[in-house]
Amino acid sequence: MKKIILALVCLLPLAAMAQGGYIISGKVSGLNSPSKAYLATLQVAGFKETDSVLVKDGKFQFTGHVNEPQQAIIAIRPVGAEQGRRQDNYLGFFLENSKISFAVTDTVRNAMITGSVSERENRELNAVVKPYTNKIMKLNNEFSSHNPSGVKHTPEERKIASDSVTKWVADIKNIKLKFVESHLNSFMGLYTYNVAMLGIKFNPAEVEPLFHKFSPELQSSDLGKKVAERIEVGKRGQAGIKATDFTQNDVNDKPFKLSSLRGKYVLVDFWASWCAPCRAENPNVRAAYAALKDKNFEIVSVSLDAGKSQWVDAIKKDGMPWIHVSDLKGWKNEVALLYGVSSVPQNFLVNPQGVIVARDLRGDDLTAKLTALIK
């Protein structure tokens, strides 16, 4: 019984967030002209202003409701001023259903926000991470080709700097992992897990066990559902998993189905005409195709282009005589979304039984890598 009561007490903050709504009470000092306060929340296409009020006697208030904490911005602008004219008139924070205070003494960017648990936890995490990011930025500036000092660094110095950055990045990831492990009943814990643990490329088998340690309420939240979906999508691209079938139009607008090549080794290659690394890799892919095309091997290139002319021109210019498909939706290409592709180039090698046996095979030795896998 005591365990049940304790569990219920731990869940009270989440329950409180899900009920009621938010009240943002703002105080602004030193306004010299009639001004308005604007509230913007993060939507699918970016931040969008959702509310605005006049600032009266240096005070304003927003009320509303969010299903779960979300990123938001408060901006203060003189009446009639254009959006974004000043870079110090807004501040980002995490909005949640609670009583939030917003106090400005000099600039909005330096405003003090209290009352949001998610914002407080986020700032606490950032405070620990910031010393490492500052060191990384300092080194990047020092070794940048645009460094105004003009100092030339030796290869050894560059390697030392690169090793330092690699270590600090690993330190940051470890800090965030510990934060997640100690905030399994916190929205910010799940948010950090989503951002830090589920990067551009991740191993679902490594990260999924931690997800299941979050409270049931967080797992079933909107963010929790998105995280679960990302993990499931990530599994589709893992070696040993059966490749998800798809159908997409080729350059002649005729539908092509991946399973039509069952019985062959197939390299499913994601690229785009505007992707410089992809175009640089294409000669290696072309060489591999020439060496293996008569050995039960085929290539299907999925383009993340949004325009047909650029796509077709790149195919001709790079001399790629294999199967090409695209729905011309850019980053929203349905096959890319299906396979969890959020960066290019990427590829997946599918065996004759339709199972993924390798991924991200690239470089000068691409032909040798493929030859070793194709039996």
Side-chain angles (χ1 to χ4, degrees), residues 252-309:
N252 297 314
D253 297 323
K254 294 183 179 179
F256 163 82
K257 193 170 186 177
L258 177 64
S259 58
S260 67
L261 295 176
R262 189 63 51 82
K264 291 187 175 184
Y265 280 92
V266 182
L267 185 69
V268 182
D269 185 46
F270 292 86
W271 75 298
S273 67
W274 44 259
C275 168
C278 302
R279 303 294 292 273
E281 180 65 15
N282 282 342
N284 297 326
V285 181
R286 188 171 60 243
Y289 182 73
L292 299 168
K293 64 179 180 179
D294 296 325
K295 298 181 180 180
N296 203 35
F297 174 75
E298 186 57 85
I299 297 176
V300 178
S301 285
V302 182
S303 169
L304 273 65
D305 276 283
K308 187 171 183 178
S309 60

Side-chain angles (χ1 to χ4, degrees), residues 322-334:
W322 51 81
I323 300 167
H324 291 269
V325 299
S326 180
D327 57 12
L328 302 177
K329 293 181 180 179
W331 283 111
K332 294 184 179 180
N333 182 291
E334 292 182 7

Side-chain angles (χ1 to χ4, degrees), residues 70-138:
Q70 61 179 264
Q71 289 177 273
I73 288 174
I74 284 183
I76 308 291
R77 297 194 295 270
V79 174
E82 294 182 20
Q83 183 175 346
R85 285 290 296 274
R86 290 178 53 190
Q87 296 302 308
D88 61 350
N89 71 349
Y90 66 89
L91 179 68
F93 69 107
F94 277 88
L95 174 64
E96 64 184 34
N97 293 323
S98 61
K99 291 182 179 180
I100 300 172
S101 296
F102 183 92
V104 182
T105 54
D106 48 12
T107 64
V108 177
R109 177 158 287 187
N110 295 327
M112 177 69 69
I113 292 182
T114 57
S116 168
V117 174
S118 299
E119 176 63 16
R120 174 177 57 78
E121 292 179 344
N122 183 53
R123 293 196 177 199
E124 289 172 353
L125 174 60
N126 287 340
V128 181
V129 169
K130 190 173 182 180
Y132 295 91
T133 57
N134 285 345
K135 289 190 287 188
I136 291 172
M137 290 175 63
K138 183 179 179 181

Side-chain angles (χ1 to χ4, degrees), residues 40-287:
T41 55
L42 185 59
Q43 312 284 323
V44 175
F47 283 96
K48 180 180 179 181
E49 289 184 355
T50 55
D51 202 355
S52 64
V53 293
L54 280 171
V55 180
K56 297 180 180 179
D57 299 323
K59 298 179 180 180
F60 66 87
Q61 187 176 92
F62 290 111
T63 60
H65 179 274
V66 289
N67 292 331
E68 63 185 22
Q70 61 179 264
Q71 289 177 273
I73 288 174
I74 284 183
I76 308 291
R77 297 194 295 270
V79 174
E82 294 182 20
Q83 183 175 346
R85 285 290 296 274
R86 290 178 53 190
Q87 296 302 308
D88 61 350
N89 71 349
Y90 66 89
L91 179 68
F93 69 107
F94 277 88
L95 174 64
E96 64 184 34
N97 293 323
S98 61
K99 291 182 179 180
I100 300 172
S101 296
F102 183 92
V104 182
T105 54
D106 48 12
T107 64
V108 177
R109 177 158 287 187
N110 295 327
M112 177 69 69
I113 292 182
T114 57
S116 168
V117 174
S118 299
E119 176 63 16
R120 174 177 57 78
E121 292 179 344
N122 183 53
R123 293 196 177 199
E124 289 172 353
L125 174 60
N126 287 340
V128 181
V129 169
K130 190 173 182 180
Y132 295 91
T133 57
N134 285 345
K135 289 190 287 188
I136 291 172
M137 290 175 63
K138 183 179 179 181
L139 264 189
N140 283 343
N141 291 334
E142 182 181 341
F143 284 81
S144 169
S145 58
H146 302 292
N147 184 359
S149 68
V151 176
K152 300 293 184 181
H153 296 282
T154 65
E156 182 180 359
E157 289 173 329
R158 290 188 173 278
K159 183 179 186 308
I160 292 174
S162 177
D163 291 345
S164 295
V165 170
T166 299
K167 179 183 180 303
W168 293 331
V169 169
D171 288 340
I172 291 173
K173 186 171 183 179
N174 188 50
I175 289 169
K176 292 184 175 180
L177 174 60
K178 290 182 178 178
F179 176 86
V180 170
E181 291 174 335
S182 62
H183 290 74
L184 296 174
N185 193 44
S186 159
F187 171 85
M188 193 49 58
L190 180 60
Y191 176 88
T192 304
Y193 171 87
N194 182 45
V195 174
M197 305 295 109
L198 307 186
I200 292 177
K201 297 177 184 178
F202 64 90
N203 185 337
E206 292 179 357
V207 301
E208 187 175 21
L210 182 55
F211 174 67
H212 291 300
K213 292 183 180 180
F214 282 100
S215 69
E217 286 73 17
L218 279 171
Q219 290 187 47
S220 61
S221 68
D222 290 345
L223 178 58
K225 292 175 182 177
K226 292 176 183 177
V227 168
E229 183 179 358
R230 288 189 66 189
I231 293 173
E232 288 305 311
V233 170
K235 290 178 181 178
R236 297 173 189 163
Q238 296 301 296
I241 301 297
K242 189 171 183 179
T244 303
D245 199 9
F246 63 82
T247 300
Q248 201 157 89
N249 284 358
D250 63 17
V251 292
N252 297 314
D253 297 323
K254 294 183 179 179
F256 163 82
K257 193 170 186 177
L258 177 64
S259 58
S260 67
L261 295 176
R262 189 63 51 82
K264 291 187 175 184
Y265 280 92
V266 182
L267 185 69
V268 182
D269 185 46
F270 292 86
W271 75 298
S273 67
W274 44 259
C275 168
C278 302
R279 303 294 292 273
E281 180 65 15
N282 282 342
N284 297 326
V285 181
R286 188 171 60 243

